């Protein structure tokens, strides 16, 4: 039986996240139904991680096992003809038996977008956090973001929702950039807690609003209290943007 990895992208507005749920349409369910029609048997996909309702993916990786002999270079087109327009498979690769899209991923990057303007832009509805209240100082945002970099207990920026053995994670970088009215917040870590990125973004925005100084971030993390940090930013601004794998045949960072 083959183990096949798919690279895909999706707009998450119409979906209740990646993972299959009983009474909601999800990306996983939609993809599996399309794959079943192509390979001719039931399919179970393992995704690179849970994305919440309304969250997007510029890139996402899922793997599944199949007895089908369809070549990987033909799979994306065959699946895409059976998918809605807001989910697109961009690549398929045969991987080793032990490859798992979530456990084989060594680090991930999410990008959060803020539309920082007095005027709303219709093309960024559910694609960025519309923030009209003041011009956010990128230097303050970056100073606050720097406080999250490193290995810490991130319980203060975790929403209750999933059980994990540890809330310790390593953030490799948290970089802020502005292009006109659009602010990009790029966060790379070895793993993320439930709503962690959105809470981190809400926290640095609080610092830019003057609710607390950027230098307070280490103390907030040390306190492990969710109410000490900022709010959870809206889901529509969040994108899974890069994944790193060391699987033979997939060079590190190739699936981006």
């Amino acid at each position: 039986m083959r183990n096949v990895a798919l690279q895909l992208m999706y707009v998450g507005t119409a979906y209740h996240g990646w993972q299959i749920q009983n009474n909601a349409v999800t990306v996983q369910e939609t993809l599996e139904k399309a794959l079943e029609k192509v390979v001719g048997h039931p399919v179970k996909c393992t995704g690179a991680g849970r994305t919440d309702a309304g969250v997007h993916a510029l890139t996402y990786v899922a793997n599944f096992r199949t007895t089908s002999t369809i070549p990987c270079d033909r799979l994306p087109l065959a699946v895409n003809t059976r998918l809605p327009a807001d989910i697109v498979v961009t690549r398929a690769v045969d991987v080793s038996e032990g490859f798992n899209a979530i456990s084989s991923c060594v680090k991930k990057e999410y990008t959060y977008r803020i539309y920082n303007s007095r005027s709303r832009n219709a093309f960024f509805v559910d694609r960025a956090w519309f923030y009209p209240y003041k011009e956010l100082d990128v230097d303050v945002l970056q100073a606050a973001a720097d406080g999250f970099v490193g290995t810490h207990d991130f319980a203060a920026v975790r929403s209750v929702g999933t059980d994990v053995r540890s809330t310790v994670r390593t953030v490799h970088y948290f970089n802020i950039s502005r292009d006109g009215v659009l602010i990009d917040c790029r966060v790379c870590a070895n793993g993320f807690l439930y709503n962690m990125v959105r809470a981190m973004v809400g926290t640095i925005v609080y610092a830019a609003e003057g609710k607390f100084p950027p230098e307070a971030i280490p103390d907030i993390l040390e306190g492990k209290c969710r109410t000490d940090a900022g709010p959870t930013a809206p889901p529509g601004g969040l994108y899974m943007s890069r994944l790193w794998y060391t699987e033979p045949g997939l060079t590190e960072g190739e699936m981006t």
Side-chain angles (χ1 to χ4, degrees):
M1 182 166 292
R2 299 163 66 196
N3 189 10
V4 178
L6 300 176
Q7 183 177 1
L8 57 145
M9 61 174 67
Y10 58 83
V11 176
T13 306
Y15 302 97
H16 205 75
W18 159 262
Q19 189 167 321
I20 286 180
Q21 299 185 33
N22 290 332
N23 300 307
V25 179
T26 65
V27 178
Q28 181 183 6
E29 177 187 20
T30 305
L31 177 62
E32 287 179 355
K33 286 181 177 178
L35 282 168
E36 288 174 10
K37 294 176 182 177
V38 172
V39 300
H41 62 77
V43 166
K44 175 69 174 178
C45 289
T46 299
R50 293 182 61 177
T51 58
D52 298 331
V55 173
H56 317 295
L58 297 171
T59 189
Y60 192 90
V61 173
N63 70 289
F64 71 100
R65 286 169 170 77
T66 181
T67 55
S68 170
T69 58
I70 299 173
C72 280
D73 60 354
R74 292 176 53 192
L75 266 175
L77 179 59
V79 178
N80 286 337
T81 58
R82 294 162 174 83
L83 283 170
D86 50 9
I87 303 175
V88 178
V89 175
T90 59
R91 187 181 175 207
V93 182
D94 280 302
V95 289
S96 66
E97 173 62 26
F99 178 86
N100 179 291
I102 187 166
S103 63
S104 299
C105 186
V106 295
K107 57 184 179 178
K108 304 173 185 177
E109 179 196 80
Y110 282 92
T111 298
Y112 194 94
R113 313 198 93 175
I114 303 172
Y115 194 83
N116 187 203
S117 171
R118 293 288 185 183
S119 301
R120 187 183 300 275
N121 185 319
F123 290 98
F124 283 97
V125 173
D126 295 325
R127 304 290 193 279
W129 179 11
F130 174 50
Y131 187 92
Y133 311 108
K134 63 176 290 187
E135 183 172 331
L136 295 169
D137 188 326
V138 172
D139 290 336
V140 176
L141 292 172
Q142 186 63 68
D146 289 342
F148 286 105
V149 177
T151 302
H152 308 284
D153 189 323
F154 286 92
V157 285
R158 171 210 179 187
S159 296
V160 176
T162 54
D163 293 326
V164 291
R165 281 180 285 184
S166 172
T167 51
V168 174
R169 297 291 186 273
T170 298
V171 170
H172 300 292
Y173 58 79
F174 190 179
N175 297 334
I176 315 299
S177 61
R178 178 189 282 274
D179 183 5
V181 298
L182 196 63
I183 298 172
D184 277 358
C185 310
R186 293 183 177 271
V187 188
C188 176
N190 64 344
F192 292 92
L193 302 169
Y194 182 49
N195 283 343
M196 177 174 157
V197 176
R198 291 164 57 194
M200 289 167 67
V201 171
T203 301
I204 67 172
V205 168
Y206 253 31
E209 291 176 341
K211 299 283 199 316
F212 42 70
E215 298 77 22
I217 301 302
D219 289 336
I220 291 172
L221 292 176
E222 185 68 23
K224 304 179 186 178
C225 180
R226 180 68 188 90
T227 56
D228 289 342
T232 301
L238 185 61
Y239 301 75
M240 182 175 279
S241 51
R242 190 170 183 186
L243 298 163
W244 284 261
Y245 292 94
T246 55
E247 165 77 9
L250 295 178
T251 59
E252 183 173 313
E254 184 178 355
M255 281 201 162
T256 61

